[in-house]
Amino acid sequence: MSMTNEMMDAIEKDLVFLATATEDGIPNVVPIGFARPLDEDTILIADNYMNKSRKNLEKNPWISLVTKDSQKNPFQFKGKVEIFESGKYFDTVTEWGQNAMTKLTPKAAILMKVEEIYSIQPGPEAGKKIE
């Protein structure tokens, strides 16, 4: 399943919530402001302030990302990541940080390959995998 335009807009236009887990399965969830879809199958995330999340991803590359907008159909994306501290993905997130009012300097770029997508709209379809 590839992301639709609606899904990609939901990621780009608001905060998303990023879930990771330790090797032992202890969860961690954080809000992320710098996440953007690169295409229908890939999301680029800036590591500006990650501590626990980054340590988790270095040991366990599985990630889950949830969109925030409850007025529309919120989504959950699951997949694996690669971490880049240099190169084109890192350059892209660095550019985002420099263009932001806060002048952030990211520590890394996290590239997520979307493998599963779920609807998390409240109601009878909540948690249903989107095919």
Coordinates of all heavy atoms in Angstrom, one line a residue, residues 7 14 19-20 24 30 34 38 40-41 43-44 46 50 57 65-66 70 74 80 83-84 91 106 108 113-114 120:
M7 N -3.0 11.2 2.8 CA -2.1 10.8 3.8 C -0.8 11.6 3.9 O -0.3 12.0 4.9 CB -1.7 9.3 3.6 CG -2.8 8.4 3.7 SD -2.3 6.7 3.1 CE -3.9 5.8 3.2
D14 N 1.1 19.0 9.7 CA 0.9 19.1 11.2 C 2.0 18.3 11.9 O 2.7 17.6 11.3 CB -0.5 18.6 11.6 CG -1.0 19.3 12.8 OD1 -0.2 19.8 13.6 OD2 -2.2 19.3 13.0
A19 N 6.5 6.7 17.3 CA 6.7 5.7 18.3 C 7.8 4.8 18.0 O 8.0 4.3 16.8 CB 5.4 4.8 18.4
T20 N 8.7 4.5 19.0 CA 9.8 3.6 18.8 C 9.7 2.7 20.0 O 8.9 2.9 20.9 CB 11.1 4.3 18.9 OG1 11.3 5.0 20.1 CG2 11.3 5.3 17.7
D24 N 14.0 -4.3 24.3 CA 13.1 -5.1 25.2 C 11.6 -4.8 25.0 O 10.8 -5.3 25.8 CB 13.5 -4.8 26.6 CG 15.0 -5.1 26.9 OD1 15.5 -6.1 26.3 OD2 15.6 -4.4 27.7
V30 N 7.0 10.4 20.8 CA 7.3 11.8 20.8 C 6.6 12.6 19.7 O 6.4 12.0 18.6 CB 8.8 12.1 20.7 CG1 9.5 11.5 22.0 CG2 9.4 11.5 19.5
F34 N 9.1 18.0 12.1 CA 9.8 18.0 10.8 C 9.8 16.6 10.2 O 10.7 15.8 10.4 CB 11.3 18.4 11.0 CG 11.4 19.9 11.1 CD1 11.4 20.5 12.4 CD2 11.4 20.8 10.0 CE1 11.5 21.8 12.6 CE2 11.6 22.1 10.2 CZ 11.6 22.7 11.5
L38 N 8.6 11.9 1.0 CA 9.4 12.1 -0.1 C 8.7 11.6 -1.4 O 8.9 12.1 -2.5 CB 10.8 11.4 0.0 CG 11.7 12.0 1.1 CD1 13.0 11.3 1.1 CD2 11.9 13.5 0.9
E40 N 5.4 8.2 -2.3 CA 4.3 7.5 -1.8 C 4.7 6.4 -0.8 O 3.9 5.8 -0.1 CB 3.5 6.8 -2.9 CG 2.8 7.8 -3.8 CD 3.7 8.3 -5.0 OE1 4.8 7.9 -5.1 OE2 3.2 9.2 -5.7
D41 N 6.0 6.1 -0.7 CA 6.5 5.0 0.1 C 7.5 5.4 1.1 O 8.0 4.5 1.9 CB 7.1 3.9 -0.8 CG 6.1 3.3 -1.8 OD1 5.0 2.9 -1.4 OD2 6.4 3.4 -3.0
I43 N 9.1 8.4 4.0 CA 8.9 9.6 4.9 C 10.3 10.0 5.4 O 11.0 9.1 5.9 CB 7.9 9.3 6.0 CG1 6.5 8.9 5.5 CG2 7.8 10.6 6.9 CD1 5.6 8.4 6.6
L44 N 10.6 11.2 5.3 CA 11.9 11.7 5.8 C 11.6 12.5 7.1 O 10.7 13.4 7.2 CB 12.6 12.7 4.8 CG 14.0 13.1 5.2 CD1 14.9 11.9 5.4 CD2 14.5 14.1 4.1
A46 N 13.4 14.6 10.5 CA 14.6 15.3 11.0 C 14.8 14.9 12.5 O 13.8 15.0 13.3 CB 14.5 16.8 10.9
M50 N 16.0 14.2 19.3 CA 15.8 12.9 19.7 C 16.9 12.4 20.6 O 18.1 12.6 20.4 CB 15.7 11.9 18.5 CG 14.5 12.1 17.7 SD 14.5 10.9 16.3 CE 13.1 11.5 15.3
L57 N 16.0 3.5 17.8 CA 16.1 3.2 16.4 C 17.5 2.6 16.0 O 17.6 1.8 15.1 CB 15.9 4.5 15.6 CG 14.4 5.0 15.6 CD1 14.3 6.3 14.9 CD2 13.5 4.0 15.0
L65 N 4.4 5.8 13.0 CA 4.1 7.3 13.0 C 2.6 7.5 12.8 O 1.9 6.8 12.0 CB 4.8 7.8 11.7 CG 4.8 9.3 11.5 CD1 6.2 9.7 10.9 CD2 3.7 9.7 10.6
V66 N 2.0 8.4 13.6 CA 0.6 8.6 13.6 C 0.4 10.1 13.3 O 1.0 11.0 13.8 CB 0.0 8.3 15.0 CG1 -1.4 8.8 15.1 CG2 0.1 6.8 15.3
S70 N -7.7 14.9 13.8 CA -8.9 14.1 14.1 C -10.1 14.5 13.3 O -11.1 13.9 13.3 CB -9.2 14.1 15.6 OG -9.4 15.4 16.0
P74 N -7.4 10.1 10.6 CA -6.0 10.0 11.0 C -5.5 8.6 10.6 O -6.2 7.7 10.5 CB -6.1 10.2 12.5 CG -7.5 9.9 12.9 CD -8.3 10.1 11.7
K80 N 10.4 0.4 8.6 CA 11.7 0.4 9.1 C 12.4 1.7 8.7 O 12.1 2.3 7.7 CB 12.5 -0.8 8.6 CG 12.2 -2.1 9.3 CD 13.1 -3.2 8.8 CE 12.9 -4.5 9.6 NZ 13.8 -5.5 9.2
I83 N 19.2 5.6 9.2 CA 19.7 6.8 9.8 C 20.9 7.4 9.0 O 21.8 6.6 8.8 CB 20.1 6.6 11.3 CG1 18.8 6.1 12.1 CG2 20.6 7.9 11.9 CD1 19.2 5.7 13.5
F84 N 20.8 8.6 8.7 CA 21.9 9.3 7.9 C 22.4 10.5 8.6 O 21.6 11.4 9.0 CB 21.4 9.7 6.5 CG 20.9 8.5 5.6 CD1 19.6 8.1 5.7 CD2 21.8 7.9 4.8 CE1 19.2 7.0 4.9 CE2 21.4 6.8 4.0 CZ 20.0 6.4 4.1
D91 N 21.3 16.5 4.2 CA 21.4 17.9 3.6 C 19.9 18.4 3.5 O 19.7 19.6 3.8 CB 22.0 17.9 2.2 CG 23.5 17.6 2.3 OD1 24.1 17.6 3.4 OD2 24.1 17.3 1.2
P106 N 19.9 19.9 12.6 CA 19.6 18.5 12.9 C 20.8 17.7 13.1 O 21.9 17.9 12.6 CB 18.9 18.0 11.6 CG 18.4 19.3 11.0 CD 19.4 20.3 11.3
A108 N 20.6 14.3 12.6 CA 20.5 13.2 11.6 C 19.2 13.3 10.8 O 18.3 14.0 11.2 CB 20.6 11.8 12.2
K113 N 10.8 3.8 5.4 CA 10.1 3.1 4.3 C 8.8 2.6 4.9 O 8.7 1.7 5.8 CB 10.9 1.9 3.8 CG 12.2 2.3 3.1 CD 11.8 3.0 1.8 CE 13.0 3.4 0.9 NZ 12.6 4.1 -0.3
V114 N 7.7 3.1 4.4 CA 6.3 2.7 4.8 C 6.0 1.3 4.3 O 6.0 1.1 3.1 CB 5.3 3.7 4.4 CG1 3.9 3.3 4.8 CG2 5.6 5.1 4.9
I120 N -7.0 5.0 11.8 CA -7.2 5.1 13.3 C -8.3 6.0 13.6 O -8.5 6.6 14.6 CB -5.9 5.4 14.0 CG1 -5.3 6.7 13.5 CG2 -4.9 4.3 14.0 CD1 -4.1 7.2 14.4

